[in-house]
Amino acid sequence: MTGGMALRRTLVALGAALLLAGCGSAGDPGAPAPLPLGPGAAARPLEGARDVEKTDGRLGGATTARPSGGLEELSAGGRLDVRPRARGDRRDGVGAGASCPDQTLAPAPATLAGLAAAQLCLLNGERADAGLPPLKLNAKLSAAARAYAADLVTGQYFSHTGRDGSTIRTRLDAAGYLPRTGGWAIGENLAWGTGALATPGSIMRAWMNSPGHKENILNPEYREIGIGIVTGNPTSRNGSGATYANAFGVVDAPAGRHKPAGKQAKKGGKRRADRRKGGKRGAKKARAAAHGKGKGGKGKKKLRGPRARIAI
């Protein structure tokens, strides 16, 4: 009997050991937590990824500019912070952007359009949650943003100031976005990431975790945006990851509108002044004629017809 009990104890111990082994590291407090990538990330950690990339990334400083001042930095750059944000009684992924497709799409030349569409959807989802109108894509802003993102990768640098000394203001002016007259406001957000940090969901979360980048995204003045995304990153020529540039903007009126309107107003004012002068000259002539002092001096015969009946 003693031998049977010992055997049963041995079998129970072996079974428990097998069960623990099957659980893997799920109960290991030292095991690394999975990187949060947004809704569905556990099932699709990185859609379309062909190779495992090193996970890394940085934010560029968030900047803004207006006609009356120079470039203003809203936030400095730094490492990407993709931790979920508390939103009162709800957390990330439950807002308007939760249904956006391709949030975990991996960057590749063939997926750049999908990345841009996903980022616009996520960005406008954040604005909708804040009660703000959506931003519309602008071709000039997008062209400037893509060109600058590509230059960051080609030149292997990461800054809001270009290799040629350009700023967001001079770049958008060269693109023809800024009007010659009238008010405007512009802003720029930059970021790059590799591996799981290169997805639209990770970049948007990192921007929303940075006060200055969030301020650009939720600026109630902005009405348009340009999205530039290119493959590769500014720290390596291996082509991994993606570099993101967003250009925000609003203008009071299209370029060139104010000047023609001013000319037309001047012409209208001149015509009105001419009419007033003509009316005064006509009245003066009529009074002179009634007194017999019109052109030709004294002795001129009185005018006949209706003018003769003017009361004096």
Side-chain angles (χ1 to χ4, degrees):
M1 175 180 277
T2 304
M5 291 179 63
L7 179 60
R8 282 196 295 274
R9 287 179 185 147
T10 303
L11 291 174
V12 170
L14 287 172
L18 288 173
L19 286 173
L20 288 173
C23 292
S25 59
D28 180 7
L35 183 70
L37 295 177
R44 300 176 297 161
L46 203 61
E47 298 177 53
R50 293 175 297 178
D51 302 306
V52 176
E53 293 180 352
K54 176 184 176 183
T55 299
D56 197 5
R58 295 289 187 279
L59 292 180
T63 58
T64 185
R66 296 174 182 276
S68 58
L71 195 68
E72 179 186 356
E73 186 175 76
L74 302 175
S75 280
R79 289 185 175 274
L80 301 186
D81 177 7
V82 295
R83 291 174 296 179
R85 308 185 319 277
R87 290 183 170 181
D89 59 347
R90 63 189 180 92
R91 297 185 68 80
D92 261 359
V94 190
S99 60
C100 292
D102 298 329
Q103 296 184 43
T104 58
L105 187 63
T111 64
L112 291 179
L115 294 176
Q119 191 181 63
L120 180 63
C121 180
L122 289 167
L123 188 147
N124 279 333
E126 296 287 356
R127 289 179 65 88
D129 290 344
L132 299 172
L135 298 182
K136 296 180 180 180
L137 278 177
N138 178 278
K140 293 178 180 178
L141 291 177
S142 293
R146 280 194 301 269
Y148 193 59
D151 192 64
L152 293 175
V153 175
T154 301
Q156 292 290 281
Y157 71 103
F158 194 54
S159 169
H160 281 283
T161 303
R163 292 184 290 173
D164 56 356
S166 66
T167 65
I168 180 63
R169 179 172 183 168
T170 59
R171 289 191 290 272
L172 295 189
D173 191 30
Y177 180 75
L178 300 182
R180 292 189 294 274
T181 58
W184 50 264
I186 53 176
E188 184 174 61
N189 281 357
L190 300 177
W192 67 268
T194 59
L197 292 179
T199 66
S202 293
I203 296 297
M204 184 56 59
R205 181 172 291 181
W207 275 340
M208 291 300 292
N209 281 342
S210 166
H213 297 82
K214 179 180 178 180
E215 184 177 337
N216 268 340
I217 291 170
L218 300 184
N219 188 323
E221 288 186 286
Y222 293 147
R223 291 293 180 268
E224 299 171 309
I225 188 172
I227 296 179
I229 306 175
V230 299
T231 55
N233 68 83
T235 64
S236 174
R237 297 191 182 278
N238 60 9
S240 63
T243 299
Y244 292 70
N246 280 184
F248 304 86
V250 61
V251 294
D252 284 350
R257 284 275 179 91
H258 294 281
K259 192 173 181 181
K263 285 183 174 180
Q264 188 66 30
K266 288 180 180 178
K267 289 180 180 179
K270 187 175 184 300
R271 285 194 296 268
R272 287 191 295 271
D274 289 343
R275 284 196 297 269
R276 285 195 296 269
K277 290 179 180 179
K280 290 179 181 178
R281 285 195 295 268
K284 186 176 180 181
K285 287 180 179 180
R287 287 194 298 270
H291 284 283
K293 296 180 180 179
K295 191 174 181 181
K298 296 180 181 181
K300 186 174 181 179
K301 294 180 180 180
K302 291 184 180 180
L303 295 174
R304 295 181 179 180
R307 285 180 178 262
R309 292 193 294 269
I310 295 177
I312 56 174

